[in-house]
Amino acid sequence: MNGTLYIYNSLSRCKQPFKPLNAPHVGMYVCGPTVYGDAHLGHARPAITFDLVFRYLQHLGYHDADEGEDKIAKKARLENLEPMEVAQYYTNRYHAAMDKLNVLRPSIEPHASGHIIEQIAMVQKILDHGYAYVENGSVYFDIEKYNKEHPYGILSGRNFEEMLNTTRELSGQEEKHNPVDFALWKKAEPKHIMRWPSPWSDGFPGWHMECSAMGCKYLGETFDIHGGGMDLMFPHHESEIAQSVAANGKQPVTYWMHNNMITIGGQKMGKSLGNFITLDEFFNGSHINAKGEEMIAQPYSPMTIRFFILQAHYRSTLDFSNEALQAAEKGYNRLMEAVKAAKTLKATDGAQPLDIQKIVYACYDAMNDDFNSPIVIANLFEAVRIVNTVKDGKAQINAEELALLNKLFQDFVFDILGLVESNASDGNGALVDGLMQTIIDIRKQARANKDWATSDKIRDELAKLHITLKDGKEGTSWVMD
Amino acid sequence: MNGTLYIYNSLSRCKQPFKPLNAPHVGMYVCGPTVYGDAHLGHARPAITFDLVFRYLQHLGYHDADEGEDKIAKKARLENLEPMEVAQYYTNRYHAAMDKLNVLRPSIEPHASGHIIEQIAMVQKILDHGYAYVENGSVYFDIEKYNKEHPYGILSGRNFEEMLNTTRELSGQEEKHNPVDFALWKKAEPKHIMRWPSPWSDGFPGWHMECSAMGCKYLGETFDIHGGGMDLMFPHHESEIAQSVAANGKQPVTYWMHNNMITIGGQKMGKSLGNFITLDEFFNGSHINAKGEEMIAQPYSPMTIRFFILQAHYRSTLDFSNEALQAAEKGYNRLMEAVKAAKTLKATDGAQPLDIQKIVYACYDAMNDDFNSPIVIANLFEAVRIVNTVKDGKAQINAEELALLNKLFQDFVFDILGLVESNASDGNGALVDGLMQTIIDIRKQARANKDWATSDKIRDELAKLHITLKDGKEGTSWVMD
């Protein structure tokens, strides 16, 4: 019914019926832009042109390899692109989730598979310095040799014997001179998809190599801060140190920072444990656990999640519970309400000082004390209390302190804690505010006219949208719950 | 005033004053997630933790290398990371712009710098097959040799003599046996930042190599569709063909597709010509050209831009003008209004056929005729006309055709043309609709009460928000202009 697709082929200079090589799979390659400036209309055209092509082919039932893998699993050639497609797919989704959480993008986001040359060069350096050996095409780090000159375990605090006891036996262990040794380069099994040529074998780098090689390439042999989750401290970061010291003869990092885990019912939340709840599930408010229990009582906005995490110091464990998230949601809303209200407060000449400066200093002290965000938040709530007393006319604030108060919120709530007003996080924030102002004005007029029917109707309709109006000294404000 | 920052160092197991190695630059490395599944709360914590660290360091006046380059330009070590940071920065911005235009992400987005090994391997293959030569550490493609066996110019239709006359003299030309020859690998000048080891020199791949190597790696030696802008046809795509034929002995692509240019005052819009307007400038409605003239009369929504581009066939030139964009905006709004209205139409039993099926066929015929989107749009407006006559009660539609009509819009407007309702493109779409319904209900009540003051006030306030109410047979609807 859809007829035959004819494509103008620049090569044949005529329209030809479209016959894919491996239907239903279509291989399409489009040259992307060289990104050294902002995209302009000229960039939009190829993007939209080939988006149209992609969408139509998809509509016709063709697809690329990340769909219907079963169908194409047999095609060895196509199998090769599967891992990269999977990585791309989840990378895109990861970025989308991080954007919702208002996480700033790193200034460089290098990929291990894009730095094989650098990793091979570093493995060679370690071999040249005598801290590694080659067995059957794989290269292993010689920890016993290294440990004689440099303590292995300085980061995790583990000692050699302890490690010997805790090391699991994995495939390829028999090639190791010592079970604690780890792979710098692994020879690929015939079936292994990700493989690159190297002086030792067609294979792939050991998983500790990437961070050492990329950190060194982009930040230098020694750089300031290396961060990661506590579960990466051993063996990953410990091995990074050993690799860098063996290759460059110096410690790679001045400050190692490790965030603690999120727990759920006291147990670490993680893919391996199968007890994780995805961020989208939090945002949508739906997650059924393995036992078939609904784990999330309601949707939680990205800012609620962000506030929840900031309410704990990064080195403390943080236990998930609906109660904790609901408390975070209330706290976040209270804070944001006050931040909004502070902008509308009127200064009073000669008002008694309210010690805003003390709060500012306390916030800096907290941040300077190893980024203690919960203490910052506690101090911000002290500022919230002041805003509300002034709003309710129970206190006055002078112009100087009002400016300082608003600067405090700008600096710590928005710039440093990275919170955003939930309905400012999208393009319609202004529109929503405009519509709300219209509704508030109509309601005000209705009440002036003693038209209670209308003002009640407005209250009820807004309630359906989870919007509550608050009549205060400074006029009517609104909050979403 | 901000005091001293103390960081708990997992290595020293104590809090230490933060002393960066190269203030004001701070080098920070954070291990990212292995993206083989959706991000969960456990991923949010390190992301937000080190986002907090990044934001605070930035607040304290530290920065990474993509700011204040002048300050650090002297630091050779840091210079190395500059190009990657610039690329990352603009890649992120490019993605953001493409997301606004609702362009689907490619299933793989490989980077040239991440595929040096593959490019070196392909250069080696071409050398082994005798179609290239090494001069002073650089490798050049031997077009004369190639042209004897395979016509060089089959894509662009240029002939050898013509090329000889049109080839510009560039640095390094003296190394070429023939000015038409192009570089497969370039030896890097000592100052050149992007460089990798190779059998021939520390250098970088010629700019045609990347697409040949990555296309072959992920799509196979021959794949279906290769797209790009017309300006890439020669020499870039022509050289891709030559490289692939020389390396693999077969044509790399079955269908070559090239979109035409966007022109501004008849001249191609491009960075090189300095006459481009960035997408963000279109979205914000501000662009001053070199002559200091304001080029954009108003902001244009991403969907207006998308519609504007789809209104021309991809192989025709498309000339930018405010008139054309304003027409596109009107057209887009009219279409979307009808799409919304179609959902609310009531079917009439036994209504005379309106030939919706004919429109559906016409849309497929247009798409099948080399993706002729302007014809599709013309046919969609035929459907818009039908929607409006039925809406105004001038015609009836039966249930079967009404379903077909809505499917037509779903398939072609949303799935294939990739348009979205402008206020559905963000999270507040539902909220805005809800608030508008509230306002419409209040207005209805006011008019019933002959309370013209209120209904006029609503009209005026909404006008300020560029919202117009339309009273029709099916009730009151609203549009944004």
Side-chain angles (χ1 to χ4, degrees):
Chain A
M1 169 226 152
N2 304 340
T4 310
L5 168 60
Y6 283 79
I7 298 182
Y8 179 89
N9 189 340
S10 309
L11 191 58
S12 64
R13 288 170 182 58
C14 67
K15 290 179 187 171
Q16 301 175 309
F18 178 60
K19 295 201 184 62
L21 295 164
N22 307 293
H25 168 79
V26 172
M28 176 161 84
Y29 184 100
V30 180
C31 294
T34 315
V35 282
Y36 62 104
D38 277 344
H40 57 69
L41 199 57
H43 291 112
R45 194 166 193 192
I48 289 172
T49 296
F50 294 103
D51 187 55
L52 177 72
V53 172
F54 180 79
R55 287 173 178 273
Y56 188 55
L57 291 172
Q58 207 164 41
H59 176 79
L60 293 182
Y62 297 112
H63 43 63
D64 49 19
D66 62 0
E67 300 168 39
E69 261 129 24
D70 51 327
K71 286 206 205 71
I72 54 168
K74 291 174 203 74
K75 291 200 179 71
R77 179 175 72 71
L78 292 183
E79 258 177 358
N80 291 325
L81 56 84
E82 209 193 294
M84 281 302 276
E85 280 199 286
V86 173
Q88 183 80 55
Y89 174 79
Y90 286 110
T91 300
N92 294 346
R93 288 176 63 85
Y94 178 76
H95 284 154
M98 292 306 122
D99 289 347
K100 284 188 191 148
L101 290 171
N102 198 32
V103 170
L104 297 171
R105 292 286 182 92
S107 47
I108 304 181
E109 226 175 327
H111 300 283
S113 65
H115 294 77
I116 303 298
I117 291 182
E118 292 80 357
Q119 296 179 72
I120 290 174
M122 194 162 183
V123 173
Q124 189 58 61
K125 240 172 145 184
I126 296 171
L127 273 166
D128 297 346
H129 296 176
Y131 292 103
Y133 54 90
V134 183
E135 283 292 345
N136 177 33
S138 294
V139 184
Y140 295 98
F141 192 86
D142 183 344
I143 293 191
E144 199 151 21
K145 164 81 186 306
Y146 175 86
N147 194 52
K148 288 203 185 82
E149 298 146 32
H150 315 276
Y152 180 74
I154 49 171
L155 181 62
S156 58
R158 306 194 182 196
N159 63 49
F160 208 65
E161 290 59 42
E162 182 191 347
M163 286 182 238
L164 282 168
N165 306 336
T166 55
T167 311
R168 289 159 302 158
E169 285 293 327
L170 299 165
S171 76
Q173 293 287 20
E174 59 285 349
E175 290 171 358
K176 296 182 178 179
H177 296 178
N178 186 316
V180 185
D181 296 346
F182 56 86
L184 301 176
W185 182 265
K186 285 290 286 177
K187 179 182 179 180
E189 307 287 327
K191 274 215 168 58
H192 203 282
I193 291 161
M194 295 284 244
R195 53 168 66 226
W196 295 268
S198 82
W200 317 289
S201 64
D202 277 16
F204 52 93
W207 78 287
H208 309 311
M209 257 344 280
E210 59 190 69
C211 295
S212 294
M214 299 191 297
C216 179
K217 172 166 186 169
Y218 295 114
L219 299 171
E221 293 186 349
T222 301
F223 55 89
D224 297 300
I225 299 173
H226 191 312
M230 232 170 68
D231 51 344
L232 293 175
M233 194 190 271
F234 186 86
H236 186 52
H237 293 158
E238 195 72 67
S239 308
E240 273 184 62
I241 293 177
Q243 290 171 156
S244 297
V245 170
N248 307 324
K250 52 179 86 149
Q251 284 291 325
V253 173
T254 328
Y255 303 88
W256 283 92
M257 291 181 63
H258 292 92
N259 64 277
N260 211 319
M261 300 294 102
I262 297 232
T263 57
I264 173 164
Q267 189 191 31
K268 186 202 159 194
M269 182 183 288
K271 197 168 184 74
S272 46
L273 296 148
N275 64 347
F276 65 95
I277 304 174
T278 71
L279 289 167
D280 284 341
E281 287 171 327
F282 278 107
F283 303 156
N284 310 333
S286 68
H287 173 81
I288 310 295
N289 72 2
K291 300 199 194 78
E293 304 156 333
E294 177 54 72
M295 296 294 290
I296 309 184
Q298 57 168 88
Y300 298 102
S301 76
M303 282 304 114
T304 298
I305 299 291
R306 186 173 178 110
F307 191 81
F308 168 69
I309 287 171
L310 291 170
Q311 268 185 316
H313 185 255
Y314 76 91
R315 285 192 288 113
S316 332
T317 58
L318 177 55
D319 197 56
F320 156 83
S321 74
N322 282 288
E323 298 63 33
L325 279 169
Q326 281 152 0
E329 186 175 46
K330 280 199 183 56
Y332 164 75
N333 289 334
R334 256 189 74 222
L335 175 60
M336 282 312 186
E337 225 182 305
V339 169
K340 243 196 223 162
K343 296 197 192 107
T344 69
L345 291 182
K346 310 254 176 305
T348 313
D349 297 347
Q352 286 308 306
L354 300 166
D355 264 351
I356 306 295
Q357 187 62 65
K358 210 170 119 253
I359 300 175
V360 174
Y361 285 139
C363 287
Y364 276 109
D365 290 345
M367 285 306 292
N368 288 338
D369 182 13
D370 194 32
F371 311 98
N372 201 323
S373 52
I375 305 282
V376 170
I377 290 171
N379 280 282
L380 288 173
F381 274 112
E382 178 56 23
V384 167
R385 195 188 54 72
I386 291 174
V387 168
N388 292 332
T389 40
V390 173
K391 189 158 141 247
D392 303 344
K394 301 200 185 76
Q396 282 91 39
I397 185 166
N398 63 50
E400 191 192 327
E401 283 199 310
L402 181 54
L404 191 58
L405 184 71
N406 279 303
K407 185 174 189 314
L408 169 76
F409 286 147
Q410 181 56 49
D411 287 347
F412 281 88
V413 176
F414 297 115
D415 298 349
I416 295 172
L417 296 186
L419 297 167
V420 291
E421 284 166 35
S422 28
N423 69 354
S425 64
D426 60 62
N428 269 355
L431 177 57
V432 169
D433 291 342
L435 293 174
M436 280 308 301
Q437 202 46 58
T438 305
I439 292 172
I440 287 168
D441 294 347
I442 297 165
R443 174 169 167 278
K444 190 175 170 192
Q445 187 55 51
R447 290 160 71 100
N449 303 346
K450 305 227 177 325
D451 173 3
W452 308 120
T454 301
S455 74
D456 291 352
K457 180 181 177 52
I458 288 173
R459 188 198 56 223
D460 301 343
E461 290 301 320
L462 292 181
K464 287 183 202 154
L465 301 169
H466 304 285
I467 295 175
T468 316
L469 296 179
K470 303 209 163 181
D471 298 303
K473 206 158 166 300
E474 310 278 342
T476 302
S477 64
W478 59 280
V479 286
M480 290 197 73
D481 48 57
Chain B
M1 169 228 153
N2 304 341
T4 310
L5 167 61
Y6 283 78
I7 298 182
Y8 179 89
N9 189 339
S10 309
L11 192 56
S12 64
R13 291 170 181 57
C14 66
K15 290 179 190 171
Q16 301 175 307
F18 178 59
K19 294 202 187 61
L21 295 163
N22 305 293
H25 168 77
V26 173
M28 176 161 85
Y29 183 102
V30 180
C31 294
T34 314
V35 281
Y36 62 104
D38 277 343
H40 56 71
L41 199 57
H43 291 110
R45 194 168 193 190
I48 289 172
T49 295
F50 294 102
D51 186 55
L52 177 72
V53 172
F54 180 79
R55 287 172 179 274
Y56 188 56
L57 291 172
Q58 207 163 41
H59 176 79
L60 293 181
Y62 296 112
H63 44 64
D64 49 24
D66 62 0
E67 301 167 38
E69 261 129 25
D70 53 326
K71 287 207 207 70
I72 55 168
K74 289 174 207 70
K75 290 202 179 67
R77 181 175 70 72
L78 293 183
E79 259 176 357
N80 292 325
L81 56 86
E82 211 192 292
M84 282 303 276
E85 280 199 286
V86 173
Q88 183 80 56
Y89 174 79
Y90 286 110
T91 301
N92 294 346
R93 289 176 63 85
Y94 178 77
H95 284 155
M98 292 305 121
D99 289 348
K100 284 186 191 149
L101 291 171
N102 198 32
V103 169
L104 297 171
R105 292 288 183 88
S107 47
I108 304 181
E109 224 175 333
H111 300 283
S113 65
H115 294 77
I116 303 298
I117 290 181
E118 291 80 356
Q119 295 179 75
I120 289 173
M122 193 161 185
V123 173
Q124 189 59 61
K125 240 173 148 186
I126 296 171
L127 272 167
D128 296 346
H129 296 176
Y131 292 103
Y133 54 89
V134 183
E135 282 293 345
N136 177 32
S138 293
V139 185
Y140 296 98
F141 191 86
D142 184 343
I143 292 191
E144 199 149 22
K145 164 82 188 305
Y146 175 85
N147 193 53
K148 287 203 186 82
E149 300 145 33
H150 315 277
Y152 181 73
I154 50 171
L155 181 61
S156 59
R158 305 194 184 197
N159 63 47
F160 208 63
E161 290 59 39
E162 182 192 347
M163 286 182 236
L164 281 168
N165 307 334
T166 56
T167 309
R168 288 160 302 158
E169 284 294 326
L170 299 166
S171 77
Q173 293 287 20
E174 59 285 349
E175 291 172 356
K176 296 181 179 179
H177 297 176
N178 185 317
V180 185
D181 295 347
F182 56 87
L184 300 176
W185 183 266
K186 285 288 288 176
K187 180 182 179 179
E189 307 285 328
K191 274 214 166 57
H192 202 283
I193 292 161
M194 297 284 243
R195 53 168 66 226
W196 294 269
S198 83
W200 317 288
S201 65
D202 278 14
F204 51 93
W207 78 284
H208 309 311
M209 261 339 286
E210 59 189 69
C211 295
S212 294
M214 298 191 298
C216 178
K217 171 166 186 170
Y218 296 115
L219 298 172
E221 292 186 350
T222 301
F223 55 90
D224 296 301
I225 299 173
H226 191 312
M230 232 169 71
D231 52 342
L232 292 176
M233 194 190 269
F234 186 87
H236 185 51
H237 292 158
E238 194 72 65
S239 308
E240 274 185 60
I241 293 177
Q243 289 172 157
S244 296
V245 171
N248 307 325
K250 51 179 87 146
Q251 283 291 326
V253 173
T254 327
Y255 304 88
W256 282 92
M257 290 181 64
H258 292 92
N259 64 277
N260 211 319
M261 300 295 101
I262 298 233
T263 57
I264 173 165
Q267 192 192 27
K268 185 202 160 195
M269 183 184 289
K271 200 172 182 69
S272 45
L273 296 147
N275 64 347
F276 64 95
I277 304 174
T278 70
L279 289 167
D280 284 341
E281 287 171 328
F282 278 107
F283 303 157
N284 310 332
S286 68
H287 173 80
I288 309 295
N289 73 1
K291 300 199 194 77
E293 304 156 334
E294 176 53 72
M295 296 293 290
I296 308 183
Q298 58 169 90
Y300 297 103
S301 77
M303 282 304 114
T304 298
I305 299 290
R306 187 174 178 110
F307 191 81
F308 168 70
I309 286 171
L310 290 170
Q311 268 185 316
H313 185 254
Y314 76 91
R315 284 191 289 114
S316 334
T317 57
L318 177 56
D319 197 56
F320 155 83
S321 75
N322 281 289
E323 297 65 31
L325 280 169
Q326 282 152 359
E329 187 175 46
K330 280 199 182 54
Y332 164 75
N333 288 335
R334 257 189 72 221
L335 175 60
M336 283 312 189
E337 226 182 303
V339 169
K340 244 195 220 165
K343 296 197 192 109
T344 68
L345 291 183
K346 309 254 175 304
T348 313
D349 297 346
Q352 288 307 308
L354 300 166
D355 265 350
I356 306 294
Q357 186 62 64
K358 210 170 118 259
I359 299 175
V360 174
Y361 285 139
C363 286
Y364 276 108
D365 289 344
M367 285 305 293
N368 289 337
D369 182 12
D370 194 31
F371 310 98
N372 200 324
S373 53
I375 304 282
V376 170
I377 290 171
N379 280 283
L380 289 172
F381 274 112
E382 178 55 23
V384 167
R385 196 189 54 72
I386 292 173
V387 168
N388 292 332
T389 39
V390 173
K391 187 160 143 244
D392 302 343
K394 299 200 184 77
Q396 282 91 39
I397 185 167
N398 62 51
E400 191 192 326
E401 283 201 309
L402 182 54
L404 192 58
L405 184 70
N406 279 303
K407 184 173 190 313
L408 170 75
F409 285 147
Q410 181 57 49
D411 287 346
F412 281 87
V413 176
F414 297 115
D415 297 349
I416 295 172
L417 295 186
L419 297 168
V420 291
E421 283 165 37
S422 30
N423 70 354
S425 63
D426 60 62
N428 269 353
L431 178 57
V432 169
D433 291 341
L435 293 173
M436 281 308 301
Q437 202 45 58
T438 305
I439 291 173
I440 287 168
D441 294 347
I442 297 164
R443 174 169 169 276
K444 191 175 169 194
Q445 187 56 52
R447 289 159 70 100
N449 304 345
K450 306 226 176 321
D451 173 3
W452 308 121
T454 300
S455 75
D456 291 352
K457 181 180 176 52
I458 289 174
R459 187 198 56 222
D460 301 344
E461 291 300 320
L462 292 180
K464 287 184 201 153
L465 300 168
H466 305 285
I467 294 174
T468 316
L469 296 179
K470 303 209 163 184
D471 298 305
K473 203 155 166 303
E474 311 274 344
T476 303
S477 64
W478 59 281
V479 287
M480 290 199 72
D481 48 58

